[in-house]
Amino acid sequence: MLQPGRLVQLLTLMKLPWCLLEFLLSAVAQGQEMYAPHSIRLEGDITLGGLFPVHAKGPTGVPCGDIKKENGIHRLEAMLYALDQINSDPELLPNVTLGARILDTCSRDTYALEQSLTFVQALIQKDTSDVRCTNGEPPVFVKPEKVVGVIGASGSSVSIMVANILRLFQIPQISYASTAPELSDDRRYDFFSRVVPPDSFQAQAMVDIVKALGWNYVSTLASEGNYGEKGVESFMQISRDSGDLCIAQSLKIPQDRKDKTYEFDKIIKLLLDTPRARAIIVFASDEDIKQILAAAKRADQVGHFLWVASDTWGSKLNPVVQHEDVAEGAITILPKRAMIEGFDTYFTSRTLENNRRNVWFAEYWEENFNCKLTISGSKKEDTDRKCTGQERIGKDSHYEQEGKVQFVIDAVYAMAHALHQMNKDLCTDFSGVCPEMEHAGGKKLLKYIRSVNFNGSAGTPVMFNKNGDAPGRYDIFQFQATNTSTPGYHLIGQWTDDLQLNIDEMQWGKGVKEIPSSVCSLPCKPGERKRIIKGMSCCWQCELCDGYQYQFDEENCKVCTYNQRPNENRTGCSPIPIVKLEWHSPWAVIPVFLAMLGIIATIFVMATFIRYNDTPIVRASGRELSYVLLTGIFLCYIITFLMIAKPDVAVCSFRRIFLGLGMCISYAALLTKTNRIYRIFEQGKKSVTAPRLISPTSQLAITSSLISVQLLGVFIWFAVDPPNSFVDYDEQKTMEPNQARGVLKCDITDLQIICSLGYSILLMVTCTVYAIKTRGVPENFNEAKPIGFTMYTTCIVWLAFIPIFFCTAQAAEKLYVQTTTLTISMNLSASVALGMLYMPKVYIIIFHPELNVQKRKRSFKAVVTAATMSSRLSHKASDRPNGEAKTELCENVDPNNCIPPVRKSVQKSVTWYTIPPTV
């Protein structure tokens, strides 16, 4: 037993308002019964308490309002029905009668707290030592009945308030409707249990529904109070844990509101601020639900909002009456339940005569039949119709079993099964309630309650986990009003630890079957990444993976490897196509055509020279160097085919060898020739002695030594950097990946090409210098001037080649332009030498064989003397008729050595061979 002083401390710990605390304690100290004038008392061996919202919350200053027919009377009668069934069951609590003390909470937590003090009166010891009656005798107090357990309450806020008192006195409590997650805290509400699953399960089921429908952007709406706020809080927590569900707005419906219409219109306006969040998660009372539907209709938003509501909406018709079009498609959830036929039979048989134990039944009768009883104190003032008492529930009025009736019955049976097992364990040899059971206390009874496991009124197991929660089992409904023969709530699925949803049975506004969307951002297209908006994982902007990037995952782009490019939709990478200069390409056709013509011409010249190898013209040309020069020209044409051929190790090796070799051979031979001419005539100015190293063997040796320098450089190149082919992905890596190409090429850089040609260019420049120095040699004596013209033209060709080659180094068509430029330049160089040095000789040999005859050999002294005199007289040639200078020259030498007068063009050709044939 608790002393009042101890009670003060305990109630203070509950942090109740002091005015209420003072009122309660004063009442307890005075031994007053703190309950409403109307309460239900049923005598029994064991008394159970009952808390039901018989009346609605009253206006300010009035604790109770109108009677609640379903939530109040139906549930209260369900407890009475369960007690009757248990007391008549010989197997359950035999020889024990269960009594009851049932109170009205008026749907208000503070009022329920006052009422619940009735349950603890028997546990409070009163000090009556100083209390005397008027006759001096001590007073006689009627001892209140002891309540061993309480069934209730309904609302979560009421249960929380009551649980704080009951746990102080260790009175177990089993709720039939309170679902707030807060009540699962076994440390604060250790004597609280419930036969309905907590809202955390309900919230999980609602999260699963939202995900199953493909929604990820929702708003929440809650009635102010524990139920609504804690339900939304639980939903939001599960959403955060899941990571792929975002809350656009979380709004609360205030309890104390002056202008209901304004408040609800304001809420609808706020919800429309996030139009993409069409799904609204509702944890609200049925009255608030009705008001919010009306506000949506006033805002002309029929069909916009997608409601997902908790069990307070459930399958009730009251919230959707006159708002069916706005509510269509609403998904609601209810703990899995069944209609109890026995209760229907029981309740429809209740009359004013046979149900006098229910002190509120007369008020219910008036409200249900809309009539007025003649008894005094009737609250029905809006009708003059008199009740006859012959009305029958279900016949003269609509009747539908309230949804929580099953759970009220299960709660009473859970308490009865716990008491039954406790009785069996403690009163083994005792019929009825033994003293051990009377003094066992609430803690022991709680242990038995948490251990119960039986099939409830609906045939489903009734049990509790360590927190006193029932397992989560829900039915999922959808309100459908279009394209259906029976408008109303249709069962579309269930949730028992996991979701089972029949999407094919669902339909939305105006009977549409397609699931509407409630997403913050539409899915990104392939090849686009999500740029998440800070703080909202479901909201993003789509950004295209640009350049050589591809979509690695939803939020990241990555660059393809160097040899790959993004595929068409940028979801992966594909190999970059490899290209090379093809034979059929216009860039290759022209060089190949020129090279083939040059090769044919070179072979023809070479064949002609071989055929007429011993004729004067061929001998006078210097047969040995001519064949070397023609070989170099041939190789200059051949390099075209090597530059266009598919690169591999062999082709790349030959490219390195022949790239500069052809030009080197050609210009080495020409340099030897011009150097010989220069030395001959320079020596002739000083003496008549022939210079050294002018014999054919010497000339070949000099040429070979010059060529060996090129070959030595190539071999060193081979040793330092062995030839190889590779694919260059940077050369044609354009800004547009679809235009990127890998170029198959030899590992020869532009600089290496120039270096390979550099030695040949050096020979060419040196040869040009000698050609300039020998430009004064008369055409009668040698090829100095044709060689000069050849070198001048060649220099122009290569001066044009170098800027073109380097200026196109960064061009997309570099492979084609540079290869074509290089091959054409080499073809032109070879063609110039072939045309200017050998075509006139071939012309004489073939078409004028009469001129290809042996002339009398002249001595070196005669040649030099003639050349010297010719040089001295050459400056007068412009003042004389054609041929006069030559005539004058002939007058100063042996007339037998002079060439017979012929046509100028022919004479010019013939005079080339007046030097001894060793040249």
Side-chain angles (χ1 to χ4, degrees):
M1 302 292 287
L2 288 179
Q3 297 292 337
R6 174 60 177 158
L7 183 59
V8 171
Q9 296 177 359
L10 294 174
L11 292 175
T12 304
L13 290 174
M14 293 170 58
K15 299 181 180 179
L16 296 175
W18 176 248
C19 58
L20 178 59
L21 204 66
E22 185 178 17
F23 172 71
L24 293 174
L25 292 176
S26 62
V28 171
Q30 295 173 14
Q32 297 178 1
E33 289 190 345
M34 295 303 301
Y35 57 89
H38 289 90
S39 66
I40 296 177
R41 268 186 175 174
L42 298 180
E43 297 295 332
D45 300 320
I46 299 175
T47 302
L48 301 181
L51 292 172
F52 295 93
V54 179
H55 291 86
K57 186 186 301 183
T60 305
V62 179
C64 301
D66 296 333
I67 195 167
K68 299 174 77 170
K69 295 192 298 180
E70 289 83 12
N71 290 10
I73 298 299
H74 280 208
R75 295 178 184 180
L76 183 153
E77 289 290 345
M79 181 174 179
L80 297 176
Y81 166 77
L83 291 174
D84 291 345
Q85 295 295 311
I86 294 168
N87 288 333
S88 62
D89 188 347
E91 300 296 328
L92 185 60
L93 285 174
N95 302 314
V96 176
T97 302
L98 289 180
R101 184 69 180 275
I102 302 175
L103 305 175
D104 181 9
T105 65
C106 291
S107 306
R108 191 187 296 270
D109 51 3
T110 53
Y111 184 78
L113 178 62
E114 297 175 17
Q115 297 294 297
S116 64
L117 289 176
T118 302
F119 301 144
V120 304
Q121 280 185 351
L123 302 176
I124 299 176
Q125 183 178 359
K126 303 178 179 66
D127 183 8
T128 61
S129 58
D130 58 345
V131 179
R132 290 289 183 270
C133 295
T134 54
N135 60 3
E137 295 294 326
V140 178
F141 290 96
V142 178
K143 187 177 180 180
E145 70 275 19
K146 177 184 176 182
V147 175
V148 299
V150 175
I151 306 300
S154 178
S156 294
S157 58
V158 175
S159 287
I160 288 171
M161 188 70 80
V162 171
N164 282 315
I165 282 288
L166 297 182
R167 70 183 294 266
L168 297 178
F169 298 91
Q170 298 184 352
I171 300 177
Q173 173 187 4
I174 302 178
S175 174
Y176 50 83
S178 298
T179 57
E182 183 180 354
L183 290 166
S184 296
D185 187 351
D186 192 43
R187 293 171 299 176
R188 294 180 58 192
Y189 307 104
D190 46 347
F191 282 81
F192 177 85
S193 304
R194 49 187 161 188
V195 291
V196 288
D199 285 337
S200 55
F201 292 164
Q202 184 173 211
Q204 180 64 64
M206 295 170 80
V207 168
D208 291 346
I209 291 170
V210 169
K211 287 184 177 181
L213 296 175
W215 300 339
N216 64 7
Y217 194 50
V218 301
S219 294
T220 64
L221 183 62
S223 293
E224 188 176 29
N226 285 90
Y227 173 79
E229 294 177 32
K230 295 298 181 180
V232 164
E233 182 181 322
S234 181
F235 179 89
M236 294 175 67
Q237 181 61 47
I238 296 172
S239 301
R240 281 192 294 268
D241 293 342
S242 67
D244 52 2
L245 190 58
C246 298
I247 308 300
Q249 296 186 73
S250 186
L251 304 180
K252 185 167 62 174
I253 303 171
Q255 274 189 349
D256 299 325
R257 46 186 181 270
K258 296 180 180 179
D259 188 344
K260 291 184 179 181
T261 301
Y262 171 77
E263 290 291 343
F264 286 103
D265 288 345
K266 181 181 177 182
I267 289 172
I268 292 296
K269 186 177 180 181
L270 290 172
L271 291 174
L272 290 174
D273 288 342
T274 51
R276 285 187 176 273
R278 295 178 60 190
I280 312 298
I281 309 303
V282 182
F283 282 86
S285 65
D286 49 359
E287 183 61 30
D288 287 342
I289 292 169
K290 189 171 186 177
Q291 293 291 340
I292 205 69
L293 293 177
K297 194 169 187 177
R298 286 194 298 270
D300 195 23
Q301 295 299 320
V302 175
H304 174 76
F305 294 112
L306 309 170
W307 312 101
V308 181
S310 66
D311 57 347
T312 51
W313 184 331
S315 58
K316 297 175 184 174
L317 292 175
N318 179 55
V320 301
V321 172
Q322 299 181 353
H323 308 301
E324 291 83 355
D325 50 350
V326 185
E328 186 168 14
I331 299 172
T332 61
I333 189 169
L334 265 181
K336 187 175 283 292
R337 64 182 187 183
M339 295 295 106
I340 310 302
E341 295 182 2
F343 176 79
D344 289 340
T345 303
Y346 162 80
F347 190 77
T348 54
S349 66
R350 298 298 90 191
T351 64
L352 293 173
E353 287 76 18
N354 65 15
N355 199 24
R356 295 184 182 275
R357 62 182 177 179
N358 186 345
V359 297
W360 297 286
F361 196 71
E363 187 179 350
Y364 166 80
W365 195 271
E366 288 184 325
E367 183 67 27
N368 188 55
F369 295 108
N370 194 27
C371 61
K372 189 174 182 180
L373 293 171
T374 56
I375 60 174
S376 61
S378 174
K379 295 183 179 180
K380 195 69 176 175
E381 298 178 355
D382 57 349
T383 182
D384 293 329
R385 180 172 172 265
K386 302 296 183 181
C387 299
T388 64
Q390 300 303 314
E391 297 89 354
R392 290 295 178 265
I393 299 171
K395 292 182 179 179
D396 300 315
S397 66
H398 173 74
Y399 166 74
E400 183 178 356
Q401 188 179 124
E402 199 273 333
K404 293 293 193 300
V405 164
Q406 169 200 337
F407 300 108
V408 175
I409 297 172
D410 288 345
V412 177
Y413 265 87
M415 190 72 76
H417 276 278
L419 290 168
H420 177 80
Q421 191 61 43
M422 185 178 181
N423 181 262
K424 283 180 62 177
D425 293 345
L426 300 181
C427 305
T428 55
D429 300 324
F430 196 91
S431 178
V433 180
C434 62
E436 290 83 356
M437 186 173 177
E438 284 186 356
H439 300 95
K443 185 172 291 186
K444 186 175 289 289
L445 177 59
L446 177 66
K447 179 182 176 181
Y448 285 100
I449 290 174
R450 296 291 172 85
S451 301
V452 299
N453 189 342
F454 63 97
N455 286 331
S457 55
T460 56
V462 176
M463 64 185 73
F464 304 99
N465 62 15
K466 62 184 182 66
N467 296 323
D469 295 328
R473 290 188 294 264
Y474 295 97
D475 285 327
I476 301 168
F477 298 89
Q478 186 181 43
F479 184 76
Q480 299 176 1
T482 309
N483 299 334
T484 177
S485 58
T486 56
Y489 296 94
H490 291 253
L491 183 66
I492 58 171
Q494 60 181 357
W495 190 93
T496 51
D497 294 331
D498 61 343
L499 178 66
Q500 300 173 19
L501 191 64
N502 191 351
I503 295 180
D504 294 336
E505 295 294 326
M506 301 177 70
Q507 67 177 35
W508 308 90
K510 299 181 180 178
V512 174
K513 286 286 186 180
E514 183 181 357
I515 300 174
S517 66
S518 181
V519 295
C520 182
S521 301
L522 296 176
C524 292
K525 298 177 182 177
E528 294 180 339
R529 74 176 185 93
K530 295 178 181 178
R531 187 169 66 82
I532 304 297
I533 297 174
K534 187 175 181 181
M536 296 292 286
S537 61
C538 306
C539 300
W540 58 79
Q541 293 178 346
C542 296
E543 293 181 348
L544 181 67
C545 296
D546 57 359
Y548 285 82
Q549 295 181 330
Y550 71 98
Q551 183 184 359
F552 177 70
D553 54 29
E554 286 189 343
E555 299 179 10
N556 296 287
C557 296
K558 281 195 174 182
V559 180
C560 293
T561 55
Y562 74 97
N563 61 345
Q564 292 184 318
R565 65 181 182 181
N567 56 22
E568 187 175 353
N569 58 10
R570 292 185 177 271
T571 55
C573 295
S574 58
I576 294 177
I578 299 174
V579 298
K580 64 180 185 64
L581 187 56
E582 301 291 345
W583 294 102
H584 56 77
S585 169
W587 296 97
V589 170
I590 296 174
V592 168
F593 177 73
L594 294 176
M596 291 179 66
L597 290 180
I599 289 171
I600 293 171
T602 303
I603 292 173
F604 177 73
V605 171
M606 192 174 291
T608 302
F609 267 51
I610 292 173
R611 170 70 178 80
Y612 298 96
N613 188 56
D614 292 326
T615 61
I617 288 180
V618 176
R619 293 176 61 200
S621 300
R623 289 174 295 187
E624 294 78 6
L625 287 182
S626 290
Y627 290 135
V628 172
L629 181 56
L630 286 170
T631 300
I633 292 172
F634 180 80
L635 292 178
C636 287
Y637 288 123
I638 287 295
I639 194 63
T640 297
F641 298 94
L642 291 174
M643 295 300 292
I644 297 174
K646 181 179 180 180
D648 55 29
V649 176
V651 170
C652 293
S653 300
F654 284 118
R655 278 190 191 181
R656 289 192 182 188
I657 295 171
F658 293 111
L659 180 61
L661 185 61
M663 289 180 60
C664 178
I665 292 173
S666 300
Y667 296 130
L670 286 176
L671 177 60
T672 303
K673 274 193 176 188
T674 55
N675 175 267
R676 178 173 174 270
I677 294 170
Y678 175 76
R679 286 190 295 112
I680 288 174
F681 288 101
E682 283 297 315
Q683 182 70 19
K685 294 178 183 178
K686 302 174 183 177
S687 69
V688 295
T689 305
R692 299 170 57 193
L693 305 174
I694 62 173
S695 65
T697 303
S698 301
Q699 298 297 295
L700 286 175
I702 294 172
T703 302
S704 298
S705 63
L706 293 174
I707 295 171
S708 64
V709 175
Q710 174 74 19
L711 291 175
L712 178 61
V714 171
F715 291 145
I716 294 174
W717 187 8
F718 268 71
V720 174
D721 184 15
N724 195 12
S725 62
F726 74 104
V727 180
D728 187 353
Y729 292 98
D730 294 326
E731 182 173 312
Q732 292 194 24
K733 207 158 195 178
T734 58
M735 296 296 292
E736 289 295 330
N738 59 342
Q739 297 178 3
R741 299 291 184 272
V743 180
L744 180 62
K745 59 197 299 188
C746 292
D747 57 345
I748 304 175
T749 64
D750 295 347
L751 182 60
Q752 289 174 334
I753 291 176
I754 296 302
C755 290
S756 179
L757 297 174
Y759 179 65
S760 300
I761 294 173
L762 177 63
L763 294 178
M764 179 183 68
V765 172
T766 306
C767 187
T768 303
V769 171
Y770 276 112
I772 293 173
K773 288 186 176 184
T774 59
R775 68 185 184 278
V777 176
E779 59 184 355
N780 305 62
F781 295 103
N782 210 282
E783 303 169 280
K785 287 186 178 179
I787 291 174
F789 292 144
T790 299
M791 300 315 301
Y792 304 152
T793 306
T794 303
C795 286
I796 292 172
V797 169
W798 285 96
L799 284 174
F801 161 76
I802 292 175
I804 293 174
F805 188 85
F806 282 103
C807 289
T808 57
Q810 302 300 324
E813 304 292 337
K814 171 185 175 181
L815 168 69
Y816 311 115
V817 176
Q818 289 191 342
T819 302
T820 302
T821 303
L822 177 61
T823 53
I824 288 179
S825 296
M826 298 189 75
N827 287 340
L828 288 178
S829 299
S831 299
V832 167
L834 186 66
M836 290 190 173
L837 298 179
Y838 292 101
M839 285 307 173
K841 298 179 178 67
V842 173
Y843 177 78
I844 293 296
I845 292 171
I846 295 176
F847 296 105
H848 293 282
E850 72 278 5
L851 300 179
N852 189 13
V853 295
Q854 179 67 46
K855 303 298 180 181
R856 185 174 61 84
K857 294 183 180 180
R858 302 166 65 192
S859 65
F860 179 76
K861 179 180 178 181
V863 171
V864 172
T865 302
T868 303
M869 292 181 65
S870 176
S871 177
R872 291 173 180 174
L873 298 174
S874 62
H875 68 279
K876 299 178 182 180
S878 59
D879 299 330
R880 302 187 181 190
N882 290 338
E884 289 184 10
K886 300 183 180 69
T887 304
E888 187 175 295
L889 177 62
C890 290
E891 292 173 355
N892 294 285
V893 298
D894 187 350
N896 293 327
N897 291 335
C898 287
I899 299 173
V902 293
R903 287 178 292 112
K904 180 179 180 182
S905 61
V906 176
Q907 179 180 345
K908 182 180 296 184
S909 297
V910 173
T911 57
W912 287 351
Y913 311 105
T914 56
I915 293 178
T918 55
V919 177

